[in-house]
Amino acid sequence: MARTRALSEYTEAEDKSMRLGFLLIAAGLLSLLGLGCCWLRPALQERGGGGSANCTVLAVRQLGERFACTFSCGAACRGTARYPCLQVLVRTSRSAAPALLHEDERQLRTNPKCSYIPPCARDDQENSENVTYKQKYWKEKVGSQPFTCYFNQHLRPDDVMLKRTHDETVLLHCFLWPLVTFLVGVLIVLLTICAKSLAVRAEAIKKKKH
């Protein structure tokens, strides 16, 4: 009875290990599929039509137009403020025509007319001060010094970005963790099968000796 009970408990633990392994395998595959369709594919499409270039500032100016942004002052507190539009025009090494600089692809989609969107504050004056500080930065600190910028011919060929939203590190992690989950699941299943096989052989050897 004790031996039968021990074998029953071992089989139950084995089943749990197998279920865990198959669950991890399924989670890894679904994660790869979901990330590939919803996130990784658009990211690769963005990078596919783009490249890097050397940029030099031509002009830094504020437009008279102001844009709305949404600020949050608590869980149930939201409001709308406004900020001035800052434009940084640059010349790139790939074209003689001036291009409008943006922080990244997300900022370009949010407001394609401006080069900078400040953190939205409740006070319009604070937003204006943040934009003015950024304007001085580009005029005085950067000036005519060349810097690396990025362009994307498919997104907007007349605009350039200061940085990419999807860099190599993000793409690596997008592949890495689902793959690790999948491999851990496969390892658990293989180890469980090997342990079961060894247990069966050991039981058969015991029976032969008795």
Side-chain angles (χ1 to χ4, degrees), residues 141-157:
K141 292 189 177 181
V142 178
S144 60
Q145 297 179 6
F147 59 94
T148 303
C149 61
Y150 303 92
F151 62 91
N152 191 312
Q153 296 177 352
H154 298 326
L155 194 60
R156 286 176 68 96

Side-chain angles (χ1 to χ4, degrees), residues 1-199:
M1 290 295 292
R3 182 179 299 177
T4 303
R5 188 179 301 172
L7 289 175
S8 176
E9 291 175 357
Y10 177 82
T11 303
E12 183 179 355
E14 177 191 17
D15 290 340
K16 288 182 179 180
S17 297
M18 293 290 286
R19 285 197 296 268
L20 176 61
F22 285 124
L23 179 63
L24 291 175
I25 292 173
L29 291 175
L30 290 176
S31 298
L32 284 174
L33 181 63
L35 290 172
C37 294
C38 301
W39 193 88
L40 185 59
R41 185 179 177 182
L44 291 176
Q45 286 177 347
E46 286 182 2
R47 292 175 59 84
S52 61
N54 289 326
C55 285
T56 306
V57 175
L58 292 177
V60 183
R61 63 192 182 189
Q62 284 193 33
L63 301 182
E65 188 176 2
R66 287 177 172 262
F67 292 88
C69 63
T70 302
F71 64 86
S72 176
C73 49
C77 176
R78 283 183 172 273
T80 302
R82 292 188 172 275
Y83 64 92
C85 182
L86 175 67
Q87 287 190 339
V88 180
L89 299 176
V90 299
R91 178 185 288 117
T92 68
S93 56
R94 68 184 182 92
S95 175
L100 184 60
L101 181 68
H102 300 271
E103 291 284 327
D104 52 28
E105 288 93 343
R106 293 177 182 174
Q107 186 269 316
L108 172 58
R109 292 193 189 96
T110 302
N111 190 340
K113 289 186 177 181
C114 305
S115 298
Y116 174 67
I117 299 177
C120 192
R122 189 170 187 171
D123 185 12
D124 292 354
Q125 181 62 29
E126 184 177 349
N127 292 327
S128 298
E129 291 175 358
N130 288 334
V131 172
T132 302
Y133 175 80
K134 184 64 70 170
Q135 182 179 7
K136 290 182 179 179
Y137 169 80
W138 284 107
K139 277 187 174 181
E140 299 174 4
K141 292 189 177 181
V142 178
S144 60
Q145 297 179 6
F147 59 94
T148 303
C149 61
Y150 303 92
F151 62 91
N152 191 312
Q153 296 177 352
H154 298 326
L155 194 60
R156 286 176 68 96
D158 297 329
D159 297 82
V160 294
M161 276 71 66
L162 184 61
K163 59 184 178 181
R164 285 172 171 162
T165 304
H166 307 105
D167 58 10
E168 289 81 0
T169 305
V170 175
L171 298 180
L172 175 63
H173 284 285
C174 186
F175 271 119
L176 178 61
W177 298 114
L179 183 61
V180 169
T181 302
F182 174 80
L183 293 178
V184 169
V186 171
L187 183 62
I188 290 175
V189 171
L190 292 177
L191 290 177
T192 304
I193 293 175
C194 290
K196 178 63 176 177
S197 177
L198 291 175

